[in-house]
Amino acid sequence: MRVMAQMAMVMNLDKCIGCHTCSVTCKQAWTNRTGVEYVWFNNVETRPGQGYPRTYEDQGRWQGGWRLTRRGRLTLRAGGRLKKLATIFSNPLLPNISDYYEPWTYDYERLLTAPTQRDTPVARPKSLLSGRDMKVQWSANWDDDLGGSPELTVNDPILKQVSEKVRLEFEKTFMFYLPRICEHCLNPSCAASCPSGAIYKRTEDGIVLVDQDRCRGWRMCVTGCPYKKVYFNHRTGKAEKCTFCYPRIEVGIPTVCAETCVGRLRYIGVVLYDADRVLDAASTPDDQDLYMAQRSVFLDPDDPGVRREAERAGIPPDWVEAAQRSPVWALISKYQVALPLHPEYRTMPMVWYIPPLSPMVDALRDSGHDAEDERALFGAIDALRIPVEYLAELFTAGDPRPVRDVLARLGGMRAYMRDVNLGAPRRPQIAEAVGLTEDEIEDMYRLLALAKYDERYVIPSAHGEMHDRAGELEELACSLDYESGPGMGGSGPFGEMSGGSQPVAVENFYALKQRQTSDVFVDPGNSRRRVNLLNWDGKGAAEDVMPPRAATDGDREEL
């Protein structure tokens, strides 16, 4: 047993309202600059729909992820080293800008400078790539406006895999939102696809990052990622991807997308797993067994043997304690209501989802039934095969049984807790019917419906001794810190500005945590009173920058 720790996320799809606040805040934090105008590290897709980039789930076309050979060995779908060498200067398996969308802005200057005329001037859409007039035809959240319409669902790769009945009647059944970020997989195919070795998985927390110094822009990682969550910066010639907001994670603060989520649907925590079993689990012959195979890799942090091996592996005690309190571990392994996205890609994804129950509740209510009665809910799960089949294609490689079990637990929790909240006699048979105890149902209800901030985000702070490379924490910005890099610093290797990169010390991130969690502008105990107006959050007044206010008569009277 080789115990390792992984930061992971679970999203409760019943809570997502499709507001895209997570996407916008992530965009502002990480990709609000030239070269990545089309890039969304976090996006929210409407299902059914084509996704972003369009039809990214069609691996027959994009060749992402892994596949098993006849000998039972894992190999990249896009080919091994020889094929990569043959196509290294011309990789045909890449989405083009029309598959993502051509980013645009509007000619607002025309509205301000247009002369007096009979008609109101129009702000035409202008391409952010060419600067020319363009016709807006597609975007990252285009399905949000047309979700369920036949024009879009006919191109949904998931719908093409299920029955004709589903394709004809699905839009009458339900629609839901699916937020997506990088999966930070246990077996990342993007890292295996990179000829330069620029993509690596951090041993201390499992976050997958791109070393900008080593990246040579081959874009094989874009092909290799089946979720298409690696992007190419056309200005710097480098690959970029979701960083799981690692500077925030290292000081115990959740990711920007989770922090700003309106629906409070995201949970972040530590999962312990056996690294020696990852390859065997990813090599499971039957695609429909991959979900259970991945769950078998996760280790129980309350097991004394696991804690002993974790200590031997150098995992700090506070990380093990965080794994014991982890909401991700509870939702995946204890209550078994979270499922991985497309386990058949064999990347062992670490962003899991609680499938939506609300479509069935809405259907029952619309038909005049009691939507909270467990008999009606269980019957609806069995009868409404359309959503279960579709959800199974998303989360369990087409096997409807685990999805049905998850929906039954969620429905059982809903029915059981209605009796509790109304003061009716408790019915333990509901809990027994879904394989849970009464205490587990109440604990699961609290976690899904009432959990506070520190229960949804159990994130231990980073330890300097956990980093393999000397000075990694002392210079976290390193090659990311240039004008067009995610660090958005003042200099870089491409000549945007002169001068060397400024290292970012770990103390600066702890100062960031203090600033974001404090009720005052700066720490009152800081004698130097340093103020960074670029990061000012609007709390308090900058006394060292603004002149002191002259005392008034009213102030003197109070004194």
Side-chain angles (χ1 to χ4, degrees):
M1 180 188 299
R2 183 160 60 99
V3 180
M4 297 189 73
Q6 168 83 38
M7 293 303 305
M9 180 183 291
V10 168
M11 303 192 205
N12 186 356
L13 298 184
D14 250 342
K15 290 186 172 184
C16 185
I17 61 175
C19 65
H20 299 273
T21 303
C22 53
S23 300
V24 173
T25 50
C26 176
K27 184 75 174 174
Q28 291 295 324
W30 291 100
T31 60
N32 186 20
R33 46 201 164 73
T34 58
V36 284
E37 297 90 347
Y38 73 99
V39 170
W40 297 84
F41 288 169
N42 182 108
N43 71 289
V44 182
E45 299 171 356
T46 301
R47 292 302 178 136
Q50 300 179 69
Y52 160 78
R54 276 188 275 202
T55 67
Y56 71 91
E57 293 161 305
D58 184 1
Q59 301 312 324
R61 175 186 180 189
W62 301 118
Q63 298 293 299
W66 303 87
R67 64 177 180 86
L68 277 182
T69 65
R70 293 180 180 179
R71 297 182 179 180
R73 299 183 60 182
L74 279 181
T75 183
L76 292 169
R77 282 182 177 271
R81 295 182 179 179
L82 292 178
K83 186 172 181 180
K84 281 186 171 52
L85 182 62
T87 60
I88 196 166
F89 294 109
S90 178
N91 181 5
L93 300 175
L94 288 173
N96 57 39
I97 196 64
S98 64
D99 292 313
Y100 292 103
Y101 76 101
E102 186 169 358
W104 74 89
T105 185
Y106 292 97
D107 186 7
Y108 297 109
E109 183 68 19
R110 180 179 177 82
L111 298 180
L112 300 176
T113 60
T116 303
Q117 52 188 295
R118 185 184 63 180
D119 300 320
T120 303
V122 176
R124 296 180 180 276
K126 297 275 188 180
S127 170
L128 285 174
L129 302 182
S130 65
R132 301 171 182 171
D133 291 345
M134 62 172 288
K135 181 180 180 181
V136 177
Q137 296 178 311
W138 181 252
S139 77
N141 61 345
W142 200 259
D143 292 349
D144 193 24
D145 300 319
L146 301 171
S149 66
E151 293 82 0
L152 292 180
T153 55
V154 70
N155 296 318
D156 186 332
I158 301 301
L159 284 181
K160 292 180 179 179
Q161 300 178 39
V162 292
S163 68
E164 185 68 23
K165 176 184 175 183
V166 174
R167 291 201 296 270
L168 291 176
E169 299 183 6
F170 192 93
E171 64 269 17
K172 301 177 184 177
T173 307
F174 77 107
M175 179 188 79
F176 67 97
Y177 296 106
L178 180 71
R180 289 203 311 119
I181 64 172
C182 169
E183 297 287 332
H184 295 276
C185 308
L186 297 182
N187 184 34
S189 54
C190 60
S193 300
C194 179
S196 306
I199 299 184
Y200 63 98
K201 186 173 181 65
R202 302 207 308 185
T203 57
E204 62 272 17
D205 54 19
I207 295 176
V208 179
L209 298 175
V210 181
D211 186 335
Q212 297 284 291
D213 288 335
R214 299 186 67 176
C215 178
R216 296 295 178 265
W218 298 118
R219 287 172 277 187
M220 296 294 179
C221 52
V222 179
T223 300
C225 175
Y227 305 96
K228 291 297 173 279
K229 278 298 176 181
V230 186
Y231 304 92
F232 182 69
N233 185 321
H234 60 80
R235 177 173 182 182
T236 65
K238 305 284 185 176
E240 296 186 16
K241 61 178 294 298
C242 162
T243 66
F244 211 76
C245 292
Y246 71 90
R248 297 172 59 91
I249 292 294
E250 286 175 351
V251 294
I253 302 176
T255 61
V256 169
C257 59
E259 181 84 72
T260 59
C261 176
V262 174
R264 299 182 179 181
L265 60 96
R266 301 184 187 229
Y267 300 81
I268 299 177
V270 177
V271 174
L272 301 181
Y273 68 97
D274 185 356
D276 289 335
R277 294 162 60 185
V278 170
L279 179 59
D280 289 340
S283 303
T284 300
D286 191 340
D287 286 353
Q288 294 187 353
D289 294 333
L290 284 165
Y291 156 61
M292 292 301 298
Q294 183 170 357
R295 264 189 46 199
S296 70
V297 170
F298 301 148
L299 301 173
D300 185 353
D302 292 314
D303 186 334
V306 172
R307 295 201 301 269
R308 187 166 51 250
E309 290 297 324
E311 180 181 2
R312 186 174 301 161
I315 299 176
D318 59 327
W319 278 65
V320 177
E321 190 270 336
Q324 293 172 331
R325 297 186 296 112
S326 170
V328 174
W329 159 256
L331 294 170
I332 292 176
S333 297
K334 184 177 181 182
Y335 307 127
Q336 299 178 19
V337 292
L339 301 171
L341 181 64
H342 290 300
E344 68 271 19
Y345 297 161
R346 300 179 181 272
T347 61
M348 311 286 279
M350 289 306 293
V351 176
W352 287 42
Y353 295 86
I354 300 174
L357 181 68
S358 51
M360 281 156 243
V361 175
D362 295 340
L364 287 173
R365 187 181 296 112
D366 294 342
S367 61
H369 293 84
D370 183 356
E372 304 294 341
D373 184 85
E374 80 280 4
R375 293 168 298 180
L377 275 172
F378 293 165
I381 292 172
D382 289 328
L384 293 177
R385 302 305 299 168
I386 297 174
V388 174
E389 288 182 14
Y390 187 85
L391 294 172
E393 291 293 340
L394 277 176
F395 301 121
T396 55
D399 184 2
R401 291 172 298 176
V403 177
R404 195 268 173 202
D405 292 341
V406 170
L407 296 177
R409 290 190 188 96
L410 296 174
M413 179 193 72
R414 184 186 290 264
Y416 181 88
M417 291 307 301
R418 182 179 70 163
D419 292 341
V420 172
N421 293 328
L422 294 179
R426 297 171 184 257
R427 291 182 288 171
Q429 64 270 23
I430 297 179
E432 295 173 3
V434 296
L436 296 173
T437 66
E438 293 182 78
D439 289 340
E440 286 176 334
I441 276 195
E442 294 195 29
D443 290 344
M444 182 172 72
Y445 172 76
R446 172 174 178 80
L447 184 58
L448 293 179
L450 306 173
K452 303 299 182 183
Y453 187 92
D454 57 352
E455 294 174 287
R456 289 182 285 119
Y457 310 129
V458 181
I459 307 171
S461 299
H463 289 250
E465 69 274 14
M466 295 173 63
H467 290 255
D468 294 334
R469 289 175 291 182
E472 184 174 340
L473 273 177
E474 284 70 22
E475 296 190 14
L476 282 172
C478 63
S479 59
L480 300 181
D481 195 18
Y482 53 85
E483 182 194 8
S484 292
M488 296 174 65
S491 60
F494 303 103
E496 288 88 350
M497 297 177 64
S498 60
S501 299
Q502 297 296 322
V504 180
V506 69
E507 290 80 10
N508 288 356
F509 290 114
Y510 283 98
L512 169 67
K513 178 179 180 181
Q514 189 277 332
R515 180 182 64 79
Q516 293 188 341
T517 57
S518 174
D519 292 329
V520 296
F521 181 36
V522 291
D523 184 2
N526 184 359
S527 59
R528 298 181 65 184
R529 309 286 290 184
R530 296 181 63 182
V531 176
N532 185 352
L533 289 179
L534 293 177
N535 291 331
W536 184 34
D537 55 10
K539 296 179 179 179
E543 299 178 2
D544 289 353
V545 178
M546 303 176 186
R549 181 173 62 89
T552 63
D553 292 339
D555 295 332
R556 295 190 183 95
E557 290 176 1
E558 292 178 2
L559 294 174

